[in-house]
Amino acid sequence: MRWLSRSYLTLVYLLLYVPIVVLVVFSFNDSRTGYSWGGLSLRWYDSLFNNHAMVQAMWNSLWLALTAATVSTIIGALTALALHRYRFRGKRVLNGMLFVVMMSPEIVLAISLLGLFLLLGLKLGYVSLLLAHVTFCLPFVVITVMARLSGFDERLPEAARDLGASDFTMTRTVLIPVIMPALMAGWLLGFTLSMDDVVVSTFVSGPSYEILPLRIYSMVRVGLKPEVNALGTLLLVFSLVMLMLSQWILSRSKQ
Amino acid sequence: MTKTLLSLSGISKQFDGKTVLDELSLTIDDGEFITLLGPSGCGKTTLLRMMAGFEHPDEGTVTLSGVDITQTPPEHRPLNTVFQNYALFPHMSVFDNVAYGLKMEKRPKAEIAERVEEALAMVQLEDFARRKPHQLSGGQQQRVAIARAVVKRPKMLLLDEPLSALDYKLRRTMQVELKRLQRELGITFVFVTHDQEEALSMSDRIVVLKDGHIQQLGTPREVYERPANVFTARFVGQTNFFPGRVTNIEGERISVDVFGLNRDLNKPSFRVAMKQSLHVLLRPEDIRVLAPDDTEGVAGKIVERNYKGSTLDSMIELEDGSHVMASEFFDEDDPTFDYSIGERVRVSWVDGWEWLLAEEGDEPLTDEEELAADDAEH
Amino acid sequence: MMRSIKQQPFRAAVLVLVWGWLLFLVLAPNMLVVGASVMTRNPSTFISLPLNLDAYRQLFNPLYLDVFLHSLYMAALTTLICLLIGYPFAWALSRVEKRRQMLLIFLLIVPFWTNSLVRTYALKLILATNGLLNSALMSLGVIDEPAQLLYTEGAVIVGLVYLLLPFMILPLYSVFEDLRQDVLLASHDLGAGRLATFKNVVVPLTLPGVLAGVMLVLLPAMGLFFVPDILGGSRNLLVGNVIKNQFLDARNWPFGAAASIVLTLTMALLMFAHRLSKRRLGEEGA
């Protein structure tokens, strides 16, 4: 029984990870065709970094992810704080709306935002991407911070004020340091979600601001491009580092 | 010469339409150890939070040394609180926790270091300054919380059930510790608890609260021996309530019929009339259990016996079906003394050890109070 | 009891910001989609009056109905496969000792953090005509000629299962984690066999997880348009592809909006079922 369940777990993990391993291995493949092994090489990484448009898209994506993660962390943290600390009318509605945003298919969010931006006459580009990315990152940040706040001792803010801190000082010296790990984890998640998004970006981006996932999308629709192996490997490593960082921050703070 | 430090007058507070405190007035003297005692929901914590400034009364005023502080926010009150679960800042070291209040006062670094060390020494935690709260035991965290509050030299220390999270033995140690601290510092302590034993052993005065009203205010001895009403008598310690009927009034003495026995007693402070029913209260330790052939007392039989180490507690069923609790100390001559269930005995008490209370429409204890009273016993 | 110390200006600012964002970027756009779905297609302004239900009628046009039903079929099959793989997987995972479990869970979260487009592309490397799988099968002598694996319905389903399996496993894992061993022992103790225990105890207790998993898999399985784009060719389209084409290529907004409302309604239905199942277990609805 135990043997069976072990091998079953192993098999499924194998299936999940084989394609990724293949991609990484092939990114170092010298062969042009991309199907057969032609020896070890870094040529695809080289050609990637010599492609000016590609590098530009990379920078665009990084900047977008950076700003989207930051804005969504700020708004998300404030939302979580409001949900946690205040009693107000429509609290359940707000909670529900965040849940719906998180559950609803990305494509539905995408077209609704496209409609809004066109109605407002907003030129599709960085701003529209930012607004869209912040919107889909928001619920994830809120959830991460809420999880931290739910274990937060209600008496801590009172203790701070009892010892002479104003509400502002209390927020700065107690509240923010305590929820910091959640803020960082939320930021990292937002950053990664933004870096990886294809569906929403397909709708709300314009020619003025090309981002990496869309560039990859246009490359992989037809045939196989060895550069994509290299780029995909870089993105995978990048995401993995972000995830490990976030896990480390959260586990360290649990002590 | 005692002088008033804090006074609450006509305090009322409602939460969601439910009255928690009802026109309550109380003055606290400088330097005393006063305990707010009552079952959960009696308003004791709300009262404490009002002193600290976390709640503001709907009506009434709070004055500290003659200054109205009713609306003053907590950070501007010269009072500090020790919270129920300590509320130590988890991201700060013990030193930084204790230094926090002094930093808020913008004290010079050297002074902060000195005073923090002094406070930590006082609670015997000098060697733990660099630790984080989660590296300390419950008792140590408790001490840090106390050090953090007293380092600011408040005029008054508010303690919100500070010992409730500790186990029984540690709780006893901390009770002694707190008393010592209070003597050394000379600060007024306001202590909230639902544990009557704790209240009796620590306080100069006890405020017994129920439903937002003060039931009794007095020294532990007064509260225990001369409860003002049925609630206090039932909540503080265990008590036998015997039904009495006045049969004769003569000057300062009255005669009361209890279980057919006629006892001559001192006249109580409340008005009594002939044939009036009243409660005759006797603590279990005041009951005398006699041999069945004794001439005194009422006949009954043992229905329950509990060995308690230093005492033998028993329950005696009288012939009319009512129950009497008795608690007897083991005496040196007969260390093996014991009862067997069903054993026939007689029950009596020494004249003058009873306490009389008027009947109050005789409300039975609600479940919640019963639970709280049970709680308080353990 | 109110414990918070209110700071009115800060509170007001936060609430205005949050509500503003959600109303402006979530509620308003969605209302817009509902509005667009009942308007008339217009090549220059995208949508115009008069109001009508043509877009919804068009959903039942045999041409599109076929695409929808095919998409629904693929999504349902994907969900079923994910459930069949994921259910025993989550159970087995919840039985692994705690220390190793942490690592295994981490390996399951990785896909959530990595680019799904890149991972879909990685599948293409394996499934291509002269890709790894064909080469392997040929060298093993199972087949003589490369089989057409790519650009088939099967490829799309494999792609969707590959991308969405962790989303099925994670909620299932969390219900299995909560499933206490003593409940199963109690069932055996009361005379139930393995099968009876599974049917009467395990299934009802894990149902909320199943529904959460179905919700997390079925909806994306209808929307992830890049999967058929990369693996499926032109005949295996998802609802997502239809919506995308209507908005970006065919410029038929009312129809695209109507199609997306179908997706939203499916989601609402699933959420309702999920809530119901949780409430039946006496937990607070999500």
Side-chain angles (χ1 to χ4, degrees):
Chain A
M1 232 7 231
R2 195 183 162 82
W3 170 85
L4 194 71
S5 88
R6 279 293 157 81
S7 13
Y8 180 64
L9 286 174
T10 315
L11 180 72
V12 173
Y13 274 113
L14 223 60
L15 288 177
L16 280 177
Y17 278 87
V18 160
I20 294 177
V21 173
V22 168
L23 179 87
V24 173
V25 171
F26 272 58
S27 76
F28 298 105
N29 185 1
D30 195 44
S31 161
R32 162 154 287 282
T33 59
Y35 303 123
S36 54
W37 186 251
L40 212 59
S41 158
L42 287 176
R43 63 184 284 200
W44 306 119
Y45 289 90
D46 194 48
S47 86
L48 202 62
F49 286 106
N50 282 320
N51 182 337
H52 177 73
M54 185 70 88
V55 172
Q56 183 59 47
M58 219 179 286
W59 284 121
N60 283 348
S61 263
L62 279 171
W63 176 246
L64 174 65
L66 192 87
T67 45
T70 307
V71 175
S72 59
T73 302
I74 293 170
I75 300 178
L78 290 174
T79 309
L81 279 177
L83 284 172
H84 181 74
R85 280 186 74 184
Y86 302 140
R87 289 206 286 193
F88 54 88
R89 215 181 277 234
K91 191 167 172 169
R92 287 170 63 103
V93 180
L94 188 71
N95 240 328
M97 258 168 106
L98 287 166
F99 185 67
V100 168
V101 174
M102 196 166 59
M103 295 306 296
S104 62
E106 286 165 283
I107 193 160
V108 174
L109 184 76
I111 57 158
S112 69
L113 286 171
L114 174 67
L116 179 78
F117 295 152
L118 291 183
L119 187 77
L120 294 175
L122 185 72
K123 193 164 154 283
L124 295 179
Y126 171 70
V127 176
S128 60
L129 278 167
L130 180 67
L131 289 173
H133 282 212
V134 170
T135 303
F136 71 69
C137 290
L138 203 57
F140 293 96
V141 178
V142 173
I143 284 203
T144 316
V145 178
M146 282 287 270
R148 178 80 182 170
L149 282 173
S150 72
F152 181 78
D153 183 357
E154 282 304 307
R155 305 280 160 168
L156 288 183
E158 289 184 353
R161 300 202 58 189
D162 186 67
L163 294 166
S166 63
D167 200 44
F168 177 75
T169 312
M170 182 279 293
T171 307
R172 187 172 57 80
T173 56
V174 175
L175 201 54
I176 291 178
V178 169
I179 62 170
M180 203 49 172
L183 293 184
M184 291 200 275
W187 189 89
L188 288 169
L189 181 58
F191 191 94
T192 314
L193 289 175
S194 168
M195 269 306 266
D196 290 346
D197 174 71
V198 184
V199 175
V200 175
S201 303
T202 301
F203 286 84
V204 298
S205 76
S208 66
Y209 201 82
E210 198 187 19
I211 54 172
L212 208 53
L214 294 187
R215 196 166 170 87
I216 300 176
Y217 187 35
S218 63
M219 286 168 79
V220 299
R221 287 172 88 162
V222 273
L224 297 170
K225 300 275 192 322
E227 287 97 339
V228 176
N229 300 344
L231 187 58
T233 302
L234 287 179
L235 279 175
L236 283 174
V237 170
F238 180 79
S239 302
L240 211 60
V241 169
M242 296 298 250
L243 172 57
M244 275 163 34
L245 209 60
S246 132
Q247 294 284 312
W248 181 71
I249 290 169
L250 285 179
S251 73
R252 217 177 53 125
S253 72
K254 277 209 187 91
Q255 288 176 351
Chain B
M1 156 94 196
T2 57
K3 71 177 209 290
T4 298
L5 179 61
L6 185 102
S7 79
L8 303 147
S9 57
I11 301 287
S12 292
K13 180 75 181 176
Q14 294 197 335
F15 288 118
D16 302 324
K18 189 176 171 284
T19 301
V20 178
L21 295 173
D22 193 6
E23 291 193 35
L24 185 145
S25 295
L26 174 68
T27 59
I28 294 171
D29 296 335
D30 200 6
E32 75 172 326
F33 194 124
I34 190 166
T35 298
L36 308 181
L37 174 70
S40 59
C42 70
K44 58 189 191 298
T45 295
T46 306
L47 197 58
L48 192 82
R49 292 169 59 78
M50 223 163 251
M51 297 180 197
F54 301 131
E55 309 286 356
H56 301 288
D58 299 335
E59 273 166 63
T61 54
V62 184
T63 53
L64 181 76
S65 309
V67 182
D68 187 335
I69 57 160
T70 313
Q71 296 301 329
T72 310
E75 60 265 37
H76 295 133
R77 296 188 184 200
L79 319 169
N80 290 110
T81 307
V82 175
F83 291 87
Q84 186 167 14
N85 293 307
Y86 324 135
L88 298 179
F89 305 125
H91 57 298
M92 295 182 196
S93 66
V94 167
F95 182 93
D96 289 334
N97 262 285
V98 179
Y100 190 89
L102 298 175
K103 282 181 188 155
M104 292 302 127
E105 291 177 7
K106 304 216 162 39
R107 299 274 174 190
K109 265 210 159 70
E111 185 194 337
I112 292 179
E114 192 185 322
R115 282 173 64 178
V116 170
E117 255 167 61
E118 195 185 312
L120 286 177
M122 196 174 58
V123 294
Q124 287 128 30
L125 283 176
E126 307 94 311
D127 301 334
F128 296 82
R130 294 283 138 231
R131 301 259 187 113
K132 287 281 183 71
H134 68 85
Q135 296 169 309
L136 302 179
S137 69
Q140 289 168 334
Q141 292 184 23
Q142 171 70 80
R143 286 160 201 262
V144 176
I146 293 167
R148 183 177 71 174
V150 298
V151 77
K152 291 193 58 145
R153 297 177 188 151
K155 289 190 171 174
M156 202 161 137
L157 194 64
L158 309 173
L159 303 105
D160 185 9
E161 307 222 10
L163 308 181
S164 62
L166 302 177
D167 65 47
Y168 181 76
K169 266 191 116 158
L170 201 52
R171 207 155 72 213
R172 298 308 300 254
T173 319
M174 284 309 295
Q175 286 173 8
V176 176
E177 195 86 334
L178 277 175
K179 275 303 280 182
R180 175 183 67 85
L181 267 176
Q182 199 247 346
R183 268 198 314 274
E184 281 175 15
L185 295 165
I187 301 177
T188 308
F189 274 36
V190 182
F191 190 91
V192 162
T193 186
H194 62 266
D195 180 344
Q196 39 100 10
E197 200 183 324
E198 199 165 272
L200 291 174
S201 69
M202 298 178 77
S203 327
D204 296 325
R205 287 198 300 163
I206 295 176
V207 183
V208 182
L209 281 165
K210 184 197 160 207
D211 299 337
H213 290 279
I214 294 181
Q215 303 294 311
Q216 187 167 7
L217 173 59
T219 64
R221 188 172 285 269
E222 282 166 354
V223 170
Y224 188 77
E225 293 182 357
R226 298 196 289 281
N229 54 30
V230 173
F231 172 79
T232 306
R234 282 193 163 135
F235 189 73
V236 181
Q238 287 186 307
T239 306
N240 292 301
F241 281 76
F242 296 154
R245 178 180 286 273
V246 180
T247 54
N248 191 24
I249 306 176
E250 230 181 86
E252 286 310 297
R253 303 286 289 175
I254 59 171
S255 296
V256 178
D257 172 75
V258 189
F259 300 127
L261 302 172
N262 208 41
R263 313 289 293 228
D264 281 332
L265 308 171
N266 280 324
K267 196 175 162 190
S269 56
F270 55 89
R271 277 168 53 93
V272 284
M274 281 294 287
K275 305 217 166 152
Q276 181 189 342
S277 295
L278 38 71
H279 294 295
V280 179
L281 272 60
L282 279 156
R283 297 289 182 185
E285 62 270 23
D286 295 340
I287 297 289
R288 290 284 163 269
V289 184
L290 309 168
D293 50 4
D294 212 296
T295 49
E296 264 190 86
V298 200
K301 62 171 198 268
I302 303 280
V303 290
E304 224 181 282
R305 55 160 293 280
N306 280 309
Y307 176 71
K308 284 283 180 69
S310 56
T311 60
L312 182 71
D313 292 1
S314 51
M315 180 74 81
I316 297 140
E317 190 177 278
L318 302 183
E319 273 156 1
D320 70 346
S322 54
H323 288 89
V324 180
M325 290 178 287
S327 176
E328 294 165 278
F329 278 93
F330 288 101
D331 92 49
E332 281 171 23
D333 306 332
D334 187 12
T336 57
F337 122 84
D338 202 349
Y339 297 116
S340 54
I341 304 287
E343 191 176 331
R344 307 214 68 88
V345 291
R346 291 184 85 81
V347 171
S348 183
W349 66 92
V350 178
D351 275 340
W353 287 8
E354 70 294 302
W355 179 248
L356 299 179
L357 280 179
E359 285 193 333
E360 307 166 9
D362 223 355
E363 355 94 80
L365 223 58
T366 64
D367 284 353
E368 199 183 335
E369 285 161 6
E370 195 101 57
L371 276 177
D374 273 356
D375 245 17
E377 281 158 30
H378 299 131
Chain C
M1 217 181 275
M2 273 289 271
R3 296 209 172 113
S4 59
I5 304 151
K6 279 187 211 151
Q7 269 287 305
Q8 296 302 334
F10 180 67
R11 178 191 138 108
V14 170
L15 289 182
V16 165
L17 178 69
V18 171
W19 274 117
W21 192 282
L22 286 177
L23 292 181
F24 181 61
L25 286 154
V26 176
L27 197 65
N30 277 298
M31 290 297 112
L32 218 61
V33 172
V34 175
S37 73
V38 292
M39 291 176 79
T40 309
R41 178 185 179 188
N42 183 311
S44 57
T45 59
F46 301 114
I47 43 173
S48 62
L49 291 170
L51 300 178
N52 58 61
L53 290 175
D54 284 357
Y56 290 94
R57 227 163 275 140
Q58 207 177 342
L59 288 173
F60 294 95
N61 174 332
L63 188 70
Y64 288 111
L65 197 61
D66 269 359
V67 175
F68 277 128
L69 290 179
H70 187 55
S71 167
L72 192 64
Y73 159 76
M74 286 193 293
L77 197 56
T78 300
T79 311
L80 188 67
I81 295 171
C82 283
L83 185 62
L84 289 179
I85 300 177
Y87 198 84
F89 184 90
W91 197 344
L93 186 62
S94 72
R95 299 294 189 83
V96 175
E97 63 265 45
K98 271 280 164 287
R99 281 188 70 84
R100 201 172 301 184
Q101 227 175 64
M102 296 303 290
L103 176 72
L104 294 179
I105 291 294
F106 177 82
L107 288 175
L108 270 181
I109 305 174
V110 169
F112 183 73
W113 284 64
T114 49
N115 198 313
S116 42
L117 190 61
V118 169
R119 286 188 300 126
T120 311
Y121 172 75
L123 269 186
K124 195 174 189 174
L125 283 177
I126 293 173
L127 298 177
T129 313
N130 39 1
L132 277 184
L133 192 59
N134 267 323
S135 319
L137 290 177
M138 284 197 324
S139 64
L140 286 173
V142 180
I143 48 173
D144 300 327
E145 286 184 4
Q148 175 63 325
L149 301 171
L150 212 51
Y151 309 126
T152 60
E153 185 186 293
V156 174
I157 291 171
V158 166
L160 290 172
V161 169
Y162 176 56
L163 289 184
L164 299 170
L165 183 59
F167 294 90
M168 176 63 85
I169 293 173
L170 286 172
L172 283 173
Y173 164 75
S174 91
V175 288
F176 274 117
E177 265 290 284
D178 291 343
L179 184 69
R180 288 182 13 230
Q181 208 57 39
D182 52 5
V183 177
L184 303 186
L185 291 179
S187 168
H188 290 307
D189 184 62
L190 295 169
R194 275 171 180 278
L195 201 66
T197 299
F198 181 75
K199 201 183 97 197
N200 297 315
V201 179
V202 179
V203 170
L205 284 177
T206 52
L207 195 61
V210 172
L211 285 166
V214 167
M215 187 154 64
L216 288 171
V217 172
L218 189 67
L219 289 169
M222 295 199 282
L224 285 177
F225 55 77
F226 58 82
V227 176
D229 265 3
I230 296 170
L231 300 173
S234 57
R235 280 190 298 123
N236 297 298
L237 297 178
L238 301 181
V239 178
N241 296 77
V242 175
I243 296 174
K244 177 172 160 260
N245 289 341
Q246 296 306 319
F247 268 88
L248 298 184
D249 305 325
R251 303 274 162 177
N252 187 348
W253 278 34
F255 182 51
S260 100
I261 283 169
V262 171
L263 270 190
T264 310
L265 289 179
T266 314
M267 171 181 76
L269 205 69
L270 287 169
M271 276 165 101
F272 181 69
H274 178 239
R275 241 185 123 90
L276 219 61
S277 76
K278 280 193 102 164
R279 188 163 296 168
R280 265 186 46 182
L281 290 183
E283 290 170 34
E284 202 185 329

